[in-house]
Amino acid sequence: MNTRTYDSNRPQEISCGLTYKKGTPQRWGERRYYALDYYLKQNFGEKLYKISLNGGCSCPNRDGTCGTRGCIFCSEGGSGDFAASSLLPVSEQIEEAKANEYIAPLTKQQDTDGSNFSALDYAGTIDFTYPKATEWYKGLLKQLLDMGVTCIKTDFGENIHMDAVYKGMKPELLNNLYALLYQKAAYEITKEVTGDGIVWARAAWAGCQRYPLHWGGDSCSSWDGMAGSLKGGLHFGLSGFAFWSHDVPGFHTLPNFMNSIVAEDVYMRWTQFGVFTSHIRYHGTNKREPWHYPAIAPLVKKWWKLRYSLIPYIIEQSKLAVESGWPLLQALILHHPEDKLCWHIDDEYYFGNDFLVAPVMNSENRRDIYLPEGQWVNFFTGERLQGGRWLKEVYVPLEEMPV
């Protein structure tokens, strides 16, 4: 574990939205996502804070007793995002939660499940089977929403502390249902305060479609990662979820998980894909703003302008989705159930009822395109094409995408 010291007293903004103070010891290899002394001091006063940033504790003592104020307990490669249900174990909230059993009491100390992205290294699991705990959590979120926050990222929720006592359900039954209760609470208070029912959720279970929206999690910024994200989104739509998003252009990179720069063509192709999904968000372990990619920034701007021109269509299709249950990202089999080829195509999709989208997911700028039966019109050129056939080895320049 590397420790670096920065020597300036001026707080510095970092991409996770927090600040750190130069001069504070910083751990985490080459990472720059830190919630350090300055942020903690300004917001919570002079205390020793234990924070788990989506990872296992790498503090030498693993219990917050190393004596370094502002020390970050995390393992190499954690993501640096605060999950909305995580708690600061030495904050006022954790003491209140323990005293009132808003977090389920542990029957024994549970080891991490071995993942750098585990939520089980936090102080405990909020017991959403307990109405008083749910209302307490809503109250915490209301403070943020009253300040102007418009959406809560309900990160994690895939697993819970299995060695805890929950008031309303055994952990074996709660484990899958937890995401539903968690997202329901955040959704309800958000709608109550802002008028808009929305969360930004990662986990899901049957019924979570009532509390949109969900994104595909931490995919790799690669062609495989992009293809996997699309496949996951199609399966999600077939499972009854109308809205879905994904990290553009993927969350983490290769070969260096945290610090490798995203390839420009991956960035551009993933942007095009994002424009033709219900919600679009740029998010990841390093720079995502287009001005860090000057060679393609003008193209990105062009596609963003297209996105804004599509907003009326997206709203229209969203209303239909709410009424019908059909997703905005639609597998081909929804429109062509009798076409056996469509049952095996997972790299094309309908965006709403009118657009057939075929993202390019390789550096060769080529792909095969299947046109189902019917008359098709190239969205950008107006060229008319007969369906029921393959278009083989179609060359697609980087600034274009088959629609």
Side-chain angles (χ1 to χ4, degrees):
M1 179 174 64
N2 297 324
T3 299
R4 295 185 295 164
T5 300
Y6 296 85
D7 52 1
S8 171
N9 290 319
R10 186 170 62 88
Q12 302 292 312
E13 291 291 335
I14 57 174
S15 56
C16 63
L18 306 175
T19 57
Y20 68 87
K21 180 179 180 180
K22 290 187 176 181
T24 303
Q26 300 191 27
R27 297 172 170 80
W28 213 344
E30 298 300 315
R31 275 302 302 276
R32 289 178 63 94
Y33 291 71
Y34 303 101
L36 289 177
D37 183 66
Y38 180 82
Y39 174 80
L40 298 172
K41 182 178 179 180
Q42 294 296 311
N43 290 276
F44 300 101
E46 296 283 351
K47 296 180 181 179
L48 169 65
Y49 296 91
K50 295 189 286 185
I51 300 179
S52 177
L53 293 190
N54 298 5
C57 173
S58 61
C59 167
N61 302 335
R62 289 191 61 81
D63 60 3
T65 60
C66 68
T68 304
R69 181 165 54 85
C71 174
I72 295 303
F73 307 110
C74 57
S75 61
E76 297 290 336
S79 79
D81 285 336
F82 280 104
S85 64
S86 64
L87 296 173
L88 299 164
V90 193
S91 69
E92 295 177 3
Q93 289 92 343
I94 190 64
E95 298 303 327
E96 180 184 5
K98 285 182 176 180
N100 293 279
E101 294 191 347
Y102 296 153
I103 59 175
L106 295 175
T107 59
K108 66 177 183 179
Q109 185 64 41
Q110 180 167 325
D111 293 333
T112 177
D113 66 355
S115 169
N116 285 336
F117 295 90
S118 171
L120 299 183
D121 294 307
Y122 293 127
T125 302
I126 296 176
D127 187 357
F128 288 110
T129 71
Y130 183 30
K132 289 185 178 180
T134 301
E135 291 305 311
W136 171 78
Y137 176 69
K138 286 182 175 181
L140 296 179
L141 297 189
K142 186 177 186 300
Q143 297 175 34
L144 299 173
L145 296 165
D146 287 340
M147 292 168 58
V149 172
T150 58
C151 179
I152 301 297
K153 180 179 178 180
T154 48
D155 208 348
F156 295 118
E158 295 91 349
N159 54 6
I160 61 175
H161 286 84
M162 300 300 290
D163 294 313
V165 179
Y166 301 90
K167 291 188 180 296
M169 194 177 298
K170 293 182 178 180
E172 292 81 7
L173 297 176
L174 179 61
N175 197 36
N176 285 336
L177 288 173
Y178 189 81
L180 175 65
L181 302 178
Y182 170 29
Q183 293 159 22
K184 178 177 183 288
Y187 178 94
E188 288 178 343
I189 190 62
T190 301
K191 188 171 185 179
E192 176 185 322
V193 175
T194 70
D196 291 326
I198 186 173
V199 295
W200 202 275
R202 191 175 83 174
W205 185 247
C208 285
Q209 74 278 359
R210 287 174 270 174
Y211 311 112
L213 62 106
H214 298 74
W215 100 101
D218 301 338
S219 56
C220 181
S221 299
S222 66
W223 298 122
D224 287 342
M226 182 178 172
S229 291
L230 173 54
K231 184 181 294 187
L234 293 175
H235 282 259
F236 206 57
L238 291 171
S239 300
F241 287 76
F243 305 105
W244 174 77
S245 186
H246 46 102
D247 288 345
V248 181
F251 176 76
H252 69 87
T253 48
L254 293 174
N256 186 307
F257 188 91
M258 306 305 299
N259 298 309
S260 294
I261 302 301
V262 180
E264 290 182 347
D265 53 355
V266 172
Y267 189 105
M268 190 66 243
R269 294 302 190 186
W270 212 313
T271 291
Q272 295 166 345
F273 169 35
V275 165
F276 282 85
T277 47
S278 72
H279 295 76
I280 182 172
R281 175 181 76 150
Y282 287 75
H283 177 239
T285 59
N286 49 39
K287 297 173 181 178
R288 290 294 185 268
E289 297 85 355
W291 50 83
H292 294 297
Y293 303 83
I296 58 172
L299 295 180
V300 173
K301 185 177 182 179
K302 170 188 170 183
W303 279 85
W304 283 3
K305 286 184 176 180
L306 173 60
R307 172 70 179 190
Y308 279 97
S309 70
L310 289 171
I311 293 296
Y313 172 78
I314 295 172
I315 293 175
E316 173 192 80
Q317 294 296 310
S318 296
K319 291 178 179 178
L320 292 175
V322 171
E323 295 168 358
S324 67
W326 275 47
L328 267 72
L329 192 85
Q330 302 171 5
L332 300 190
I333 58 173
L334 288 174
H335 291 266
H336 310 281
E338 297 181 358
D339 188 332
K340 294 181 179 180
L341 282 174
C342 290
W343 285 79
H344 301 278
I345 294 175
D346 57 13
D347 62 352
E348 297 181 24
Y349 62 95
Y350 275 84
F351 180 51
N353 293 326
D354 299 325
F355 286 105
L356 178 67
V357 183
V360 177
M361 295 183 281
N362 60 67
S363 296
E364 290 71 42
N365 296 323
R366 293 184 179 275
R367 66 157 295 154
D368 296 342
I369 304 169
Y370 181 68
L371 297 179
E373 287 290 344
Q375 294 287 329
W376 296 92
V377 180
N378 186 305
F379 178 61
F380 298 105
T381 67
E383 179 186 5
R384 294 182 177 272
L385 298 164
Q386 181 63 42
R389 64 188 176 115
W390 284 95
L391 305 179
K392 293 288 189 177
E393 283 292 305
V394 177
Y395 176 73
V396 185
L398 186 61
E399 63 271 17
E400 299 177 10
M401 180 177 71
V403 180

